[in-house]
Amino acid sequence: MDSKIAKADEKVQKLISRKRIKSDEDRKVGSEIFDKITLETLYKLANQGYVDVLNGAISTGKEANVLKGITKDNSIVAVKIYRIATSDFKKMNYYIDGDPRFNIKSKNKRQTIYAWVMKEFKNLKRLYSAGVTVPKPIISANNVLLIEFIGDELGNPAQTVKNQPPKDPEDFFNKLLAQVKLFVNEARLVHGDLSNFNILNKDETPVIIDVSQSVVLDNPIAKELLERDIKTLVNEYKKLGVNTSYDEVYEYISPKFL
């Protein structure tokens, strides 16, 4: 291991080991997600003051792990690290192709991951500026994305609606539809994978997450993705007892371009 990598690895090990919030989740952080470039990226972000301590897992998935990061002023951020080895590059290219913001000629896997992370960062900035309830984006670098932590002051992350259904499903659904309308009509994006797995229940308020696959409205697949999102939401909230229909939701959300 060269000196630059060794230095980065030493720094990240300190980031991981210096615990400031303790819970069972903290012990789930594993070194398997930290390859050489990820180590260097985290080292750079730490030196720039964006994160001081890595403090356990928020969520784990096939393509990315989300960790709790603690800053020097003891605030919490979410650190999303995309895995190079296990990501679905065919799927990523499907959602990137047709997006005028990206022109990726190379099929290099690492470059695809970097574009994917930048895409999520740009989508979050666009959504946040439009007033959509999404985590505030902080910075992206290579395969690492730092965003606002959605949870309580003790470091407990908000749960997905799938794991924590709303107490009043109809009220929650109405709040969600208002956010989706902003998502489509003000941010001019379509989520593309919207379901209760990608919506957090933060104090009975919906927070939309995982927007890396979201596409701009003039993308050729936008209409198909919007129709799929609406069908999924209608089916899920009907199961929760909400009286709704595809046509009703489509009429409320659909932008004028369709």
Side-chain angles (χ1 to χ4, degrees):
M1 182 180 292
D2 62 48
S3 59
K4 187 177 182 182
I5 296 299
K7 189 176 181 182
D9 182 63
E10 180 183 359
K11 177 68 175 180
V12 170
Q13 293 309 315
K14 288 180 180 178
L15 287 174
I16 297 169
S17 62
R18 286 160 48 206
K19 306 297 185 183
R20 293 186 186 176
I21 296 178
K22 295 182 180 180
S23 71
D24 291 339
E25 291 296 311
D26 294 337
R27 290 183 282 274
K28 293 184 179 179
V29 179
S31 61
E32 73 277 1
I33 66 172
F34 301 112
D35 64 11
K36 290 182 179 181
I37 294 182
T38 303
L39 288 171
E40 285 188 326
T41 302
L42 289 167
Y43 177 56
K44 181 179 179 180
L45 291 171
N47 279 347
Q48 292 174 339
Y50 286 105
V51 63
D52 191 43
V53 180
L54 292 182
N55 197 238
I58 296 173
S59 66
T60 59
K62 180 182 177 181
E63 294 180 347
N65 286 47
V66 183
L67 312 178
K68 281 182 286 187
I70 311 298
T71 65
K72 287 185 177 180
D73 64 1
N74 285 325
S75 61
I76 305 174
V77 297
V79 183
K80 190 171 187 178
I81 302 174
Y82 276 93
R83 301 179 184 183
I84 306 298
T86 58
S87 292
D88 187 341
F89 297 97
K90 185 176 180 181
K91 182 194 78 172
M92 289 179 175
N93 284 319
Y94 174 73
Y95 288 106
I96 292 174
D97 290 343
D99 192 323
R101 297 173 298 171
F102 300 93
N103 183 22
I104 303 176
K105 296 180 180 179
S106 171
K107 295 300 180 182
N108 178 276
K109 290 184 176 181
R110 190 172 290 277
Q111 292 304 316
T112 300
I113 287 285
Y114 293 174
W116 190 251
V117 174
M118 179 56 69
K119 186 170 184 283
E120 183 163 18
F121 180 72
K122 286 187 174 183
N123 285 344
L124 283 170
K125 285 185 69 175
R126 192 161 168 167
L127 291 161
Y128 192 82
S129 295
V132 184
T133 51
V134 295
K136 181 179 181 180
I138 300 170
I139 191 172
S140 69
N142 296 332
N143 62 318
V144 179
L145 175 67
L146 267 62
I147 58 177
E148 176 188 5
F149 172 76
I150 306 298
D152 64 25
E153 294 179 353
L154 298 176
N156 300 307
Q159 297 298 304
T160 65
V161 176
K162 191 68 177 178
N163 292 332
Q164 185 178 321
K167 297 175 182 177
D168 185 339
E170 186 169 354
D171 178 66
F172 191 92
F173 186 60
N174 289 335
K175 291 177 182 177
L176 175 60
L177 291 187
Q179 292 305 313
V180 177
K181 186 172 184 177
L182 284 175
F183 200 114
V184 176
N185 289 273
E186 298 300 324
R188 309 293 287 175
L189 292 170
V190 175
H191 189 283
D193 190 27
L194 194 57
S195 74
N196 282 337
F197 286 101
N198 291 329
I199 302 165
L200 300 179
N201 183 349
K202 175 66 170 71
D203 301 325
E204 300 304 309
T205 296
V207 179
I208 300 171
I209 59 171
D210 294 340
V211 299
S212 52
Q213 74 290 319
S214 300
V215 301
V216 292
L217 288 190
D218 55 0
N219 190 302
I221 63 174
K223 186 174 186 294
E224 172 191 347
L225 296 181
L226 179 61
E227 291 172 349
R228 187 175 71 185
D229 282 351
I230 293 173
K231 287 176 183 177
T232 300
L233 291 180
V234 168
N235 288 337
E236 289 185 336
Y237 282 86
K238 276 186 174 181
K239 291 177 182 178
L240 293 176
V242 177
N243 183 17
T244 186
S245 70
Y246 174 88
D247 290 341
E248 179 184 34
V249 174
Y250 185 90
E251 178 65 25
Y252 176 68
I253 289 174
S254 180
K256 301 303 181 185
F257 88 110
L258 292 176

